[in-house]
Short mmCIF file of all heavy atoms in Angstrom, two decimals:
data_model
loop_
_atom_site.label_atom_id
_atom_site.label_comp_id
_atom_site.label_asym_id
_atom_site.label_seq_id
_atom_site.Cartn_x
_atom_site.Cartn_y
_atom_site.Cartn_z
N CYS A 273 104.41 114.84 58.93
CA CYS A 273 104.45 113.45 58.46
C CYS A 273 104.20 113.39 56.96
O CYS A 273 103.28 114.03 56.44
CB CYS A 273 103.41 112.61 59.19
SG CYS A 273 103.50 110.85 58.76
N ALA A 274 105.02 112.60 56.27
CA ALA A 274 104.88 112.43 54.83
C ALA A 274 104.75 110.96 54.46
O ALA A 274 105.13 110.55 53.37
CB ALA A 274 106.08 113.05 54.11
N CYS A 275 104.21 110.16 55.38
CA CYS A 275 104.07 108.73 55.11
C CYS A 275 103.02 108.51 54.02
O CYS A 275 102.28 109.43 53.64
CB CYS A 275 103.69 107.97 56.38
SG CYS A 275 102.00 108.24 56.95
N ALA A 276 102.94 107.29 53.52
CA ALA A 276 102.02 106.99 52.42
C ALA A 276 100.58 107.28 52.79
O ALA A 276 99.79 107.77 51.97
CB ALA A 276 102.18 105.52 52.01
N ARG A 277 100.22 107.02 54.02
CA ARG A 277 98.84 107.27 54.44
C ARG A 277 98.54 108.76 54.46
O ARG A 277 97.49 109.20 53.99
CB ARG A 277 98.60 106.65 55.82
CG ARG A 277 97.19 106.88 56.33
CD ARG A 277 97.00 106.29 57.72
NE ARG A 277 95.73 106.68 58.29
CZ ARG A 277 95.38 106.47 59.55
NH1 ARG A 277 96.23 105.86 60.38
NH2 ARG A 277 94.20 106.87 60.00
N CYS A 278 99.44 109.55 55.02
CA CYS A 278 99.22 111.00 55.09
C CYS A 278 99.20 111.63 53.70
O CYS A 278 98.52 112.64 53.48
CB CYS A 278 100.29 111.66 55.95
SG CYS A 278 100.07 111.42 57.72
N ALA A 279 99.96 111.05 52.77
CA ALA A 279 100.02 111.59 51.42
C ALA A 279 98.80 111.21 50.57
O ALA A 279 98.60 111.78 49.49
CB ALA A 279 101.29 111.11 50.73
N ASP A 280 98.00 110.28 51.05
CA ASP A 280 96.85 109.78 50.29
C ASP A 280 95.57 110.46 50.78
O ASP A 280 95.19 110.30 51.94
CB ASP A 280 96.75 108.27 50.48
CG ASP A 280 95.62 107.65 49.65
OD1 ASP A 280 94.91 108.40 48.95
OD2 ASP A 280 95.45 106.42 49.72
N PRO A 281 94.88 111.22 49.93
CA PRO A 281 93.66 111.92 50.38
C PRO A 281 92.58 110.98 50.92
O PRO A 281 91.74 111.41 51.72
CB PRO A 281 93.17 112.63 49.11
CG PRO A 281 94.38 112.75 48.24
CD PRO A 281 95.21 111.54 48.53
N VAL A 282 92.59 109.71 50.49
CA VAL A 282 91.56 108.78 50.96
C VAL A 282 92.11 107.83 52.03
O VAL A 282 91.47 106.84 52.38
CB VAL A 282 90.94 107.99 49.79
CG1 VAL A 282 90.25 108.93 48.82
CG2 VAL A 282 91.98 107.15 49.07
N GLU A 283 93.29 108.13 52.56
CA GLU A 283 93.90 107.36 53.66
C GLU A 283 93.91 105.86 53.38
O GLU A 283 93.32 105.05 54.10
CB GLU A 283 93.20 107.67 54.99
CG GLU A 283 93.30 109.14 55.38
CD GLU A 283 93.11 109.37 56.87
OE1 GLU A 283 93.56 108.52 57.66
OE2 GLU A 283 92.52 110.40 57.23
N LEU A 284 94.58 105.50 52.28
CA LEU A 284 94.74 104.10 51.88
C LEU A 284 93.40 103.42 51.64
O LEU A 284 93.23 102.22 51.89
CB LEU A 284 95.55 103.33 52.94
CG LEU A 284 96.90 103.94 53.33
CD1 LEU A 284 97.60 103.07 54.37
CD2 LEU A 284 97.79 104.14 52.10
N GLY A 285 92.45 104.20 51.15
CA GLY A 285 91.14 103.66 50.82
C GLY A 285 90.18 103.57 51.98
O GLY A 285 89.03 103.15 51.80
#
Side-chain angles (χ1 to χ4, degrees):
C273 185
C275 72
R277 179 182 171 190
C278 284
D280 183 359
V282 298
E283 299 202 36
L284 307 180

